[in-house]
Amino acid sequence: AQSVTQLDSQVPVFEEAPVELRCNYSSSVSVYLFWYVQYPNQGLQLLLKYLSGSTLVKGINGFEAEFNKSQTSFHLRKPSVHISDTAEYFCAVSDPGGSYIPTFGRGTSLIVHP
Amino acid sequence: GAVVSQHPSWVICKSGTSVKIECRSLDFQATTMFWYRQFPKQSLMLMATSNEGSKATYEQGVEKDKFLINHASLTLSTLTVTSAHPEDSSFYICSAKKAGAQREQYFGPGTRLTVT
């Protein structure tokens, strides 16, 4: 069974500062990893994904994440955030050899202050 | 692209009535669609998986007679909340997988259901 832990329920940060949203997973098999963003009253939008290959993944809106197999982590980073990045961020993991149905973390609320 | 739409985006209904929510893949064929429920400030909870032309597979604890799912075509799945009660109020999100591309899902914008 897979699980995802997002250690921070809320991350406040000032505009133009860097940010890291943490995600750790547990799985006995290889994994696919995803980060989604959800703006208020909207569905999920894929930010980036790791399926294979380079462990550093670049996504939309200037976000990137690094897959670290030894630490079972997939932390999301952005060097300089904007007010418009304020949203809920979900990390998810799925099993490439199984049903591909992702397991989601509880989410991290990124709050960008002016 | 891979666009998924939901209709309606927001619905208010009276307790005891039934509500149907539609999920459509607009520019691709979706052999598999998923229905999620999301409570405020919480993560997505998978309710059921529906495959075109077959019965939906419900997750443990989800009442299949309460949440009727129909996946009649490769571009449309519907979720009907029967005899809705205030505790069914929630944000319902669907997602779809492209035929032949199983590794990721495309999410709809969600439907906010309020039962009074």
Side-chain angles (χ1 to χ4, degrees), chain B residues 1-86:
Chain B
V3 181
V4 177
S5 71
Q6 283 185 240
H7 179 79
S9 56
W10 202 330
V11 58
I12 301 174
C13 71
K14 292 187 176 180
S15 188
T17 62
S18 295
V19 174
K20 181 185 284 189
I21 302 170
E22 292 185 350
C23 175
R24 294 182 184 271
S25 55
L26 298 185
D27 52 0
F28 66 98
Q29 293 187 329
T31 50
T32 306
M33 287 183 166
F34 304 87
W35 287 96
Y36 293 85
R37 184 172 180 176
Q38 186 181 30
F39 291 102
K41 303 294 184 183
Q42 294 190 29
S43 189
L44 279 70
M45 181 190 78
L46 180 65
M47 298 175 67
T49 302
S50 78
N51 292 295
E52 186 265 337
S54 63
K55 288 184 179 180
T57 302
Y58 290 82
E59 295 298 302
Q60 192 172 9
V62 178
E63 300 174 62
K64 61 181 180 181
D65 295 330
K66 172 80 170 172
F67 300 98
L68 300 179
I69 292 172
N70 185 287
H71 192 162
S73 77
L74 287 172
T75 58
L76 173 65
S77 176
T78 60
L79 167 68
T80 301
V81 183
T82 62
S83 187
H85 292 285

Side-chain angles (χ1 to χ4, degrees), chain A residues 20-41:
Chain A
E20 179 179 82
L21 305 184
R22 296 181 292 170
C23 172
N24 288 87
Y25 67 91
S26 66
S27 176
S28 59
V29 297
S30 58
V31 293
Y32 290 155
L33 293 157
F34 307 84
W35 274 100
Y36 291 90
V37 60
Q38 183 180 36
Y39 298 102
N41 292 311

Side-chain angles (χ1 to χ4, degrees), chain A residues 32 34 36 38 41-44 46 49 51-52 88 90 94 99-102 104-107 109, chain B residues 10 34 36 38 41-44 46 49 59 91 93 97 102-110 112:
Chain A
Y32 290 155
F34 307 84
Y36 291 90
Q38 183 180 36
N41 292 311
Q42 294 187 30
L44 273 66
L46 180 67
K49 61 188 177 188
L51 303 180
S52 66
E88 195 78 16
F90 292 97
S94 70
S99 64
Y100 300 102
I101 297 175
F104 287 88
R106 293 174 61 91
S109 180
Chain B
W10 202 330
F34 304 87
Y36 293 85
Q38 186 181 30
K41 303 294 184 183
Q42 294 190 29
S43 189
L44 279 70
L46 180 65
T49 302
E59 295 298 302
F91 196 53
I93 302 176
K97 288 188 175 181
Q102 296 297 306
R103 296 189 297 182
E104 63 179 288
Q105 303 178 27
Y106 301 92
F107 286 83
R112 169 106 22 228

Side-chain angles (χ1 to χ4, degrees), chain A:
Chain A
Q2 303 162 125
S3 66
V4 177
T5 302
Q6 291 182 246
L7 295 166
D8 306 301
S9 59
Q10 204 171 82
V11 173
V13 65
F14 286 107
E15 194 173 19
E16 298 183 6
V19 71
E20 179 179 82
L21 305 184
R22 296 181 292 170
C23 172
N24 288 87
Y25 67 91
S26 66
S27 176
S28 59
V29 297
S30 58
V31 293
Y32 290 155
L33 293 157
F34 307 84
W35 274 100
Y36 291 90
V37 60
Q38 183 180 36
Y39 298 102
N41 292 311
Q42 294 187 30
L44 273 66
Q45 180 182 3
L46 180 67
L47 275 178
L48 48 79
K49 61 188 177 188
Y50 170 80
L51 303 180
S52 66
S54 174
T55 57
L56 182 62
V57 180
K58 293 189 183 297
I60 62 172
N61 300 344
F63 284 94
E64 64 178 34
E66 185 156 19
F67 170 53
N68 188 318
K69 188 174 182 179
S70 63
Q71 296 186 5
T72 60
S73 68
F74 191 56
H75 301 332
L76 180 71
R77 292 189 287 262
K78 185 169 183 178
S80 176
V81 294
H82 301 289
I83 296 286
S84 59
D85 293 322
T86 296
E88 195 78 16
Y89 292 79
F90 292 97
C91 181
V93 60
S94 70
D95 174 9
S99 64
Y100 300 102
I101 297 175
T103 299
F104 287 88
R106 293 174 61 91
T108 296
S109 180
L110 175 63
I111 302 169
V112 182
H113 298 285

